[in-house]
Amino acid sequence: MAALESTGYVEMGKRDVHLTERGLEVARQMWERHCFFVGLLEDAGVAPDVASQEGCHMEHCLSEESFEKLRSMLGREDVAGPATEA
């Protein structure tokens, strides 16, 4: 947690931890990637539980450039996760 705090992603109190705006943006980006890969795998016929587990790994593997190019190539620019409340 100290590393996340020192990079500005979280703020820590005595008993709680909160995402900063920067941390929330990174979390949203990871959620978008996760939903993209899970949807892609499920559309390919992968079982939902496997797609969720593997999507979790895949979301961290690609650079932003590669992710955007893959999403664009597949015509899934509008793919995003469910709306989240800040």
Side-chain angles (χ1 to χ4, degrees), residues 26-48:
V26 170
R28 284 183 180 136
Q29 290 171 356
M30 285 297 106
W31 180 245
E32 180 181 6
R33 286 174 172 239
H34 178 79
C35 291
F36 171 83
F37 286 118
V38 170
L40 187 66
L41 291 169
E42 287 180 347
D43 289 351
V46 176

Side-chain angles (χ1 to χ4, degrees), residues 13-77:
K14 287 185 179 186
R15 295 188 177 149
D16 57 350
V17 177
H18 297 281
L19 287 171
T20 62
E21 285 299 318
R22 183 177 176 189
L24 186 57
E25 180 57 30
V26 170
R28 284 183 180 136
Q29 290 171 356
M30 285 297 106
W31 180 245
E32 180 181 6
R33 286 174 172 239
H34 178 79
C35 291
F36 171 83
F37 286 118
V38 170
L40 187 66
L41 291 169
E42 287 180 347
D43 289 351
V46 176
D49 59 326
V50 174
S52 182
Q53 289 176 348
E54 292 181 351
C56 205
H57 296 292
M58 294 170 76
E59 70 195 54
H60 298 282
C61 295
L62 292 177
S63 68
E64 183 63 25
E65 179 182 5
S66 294
F67 172 70
E68 289 300 331
K69 288 183 187 249
L70 181 61
R71 186 166 70 163
S72 178
M73 182 192 78
L74 294 172
R76 293 177 173 239
E77 290 89 356

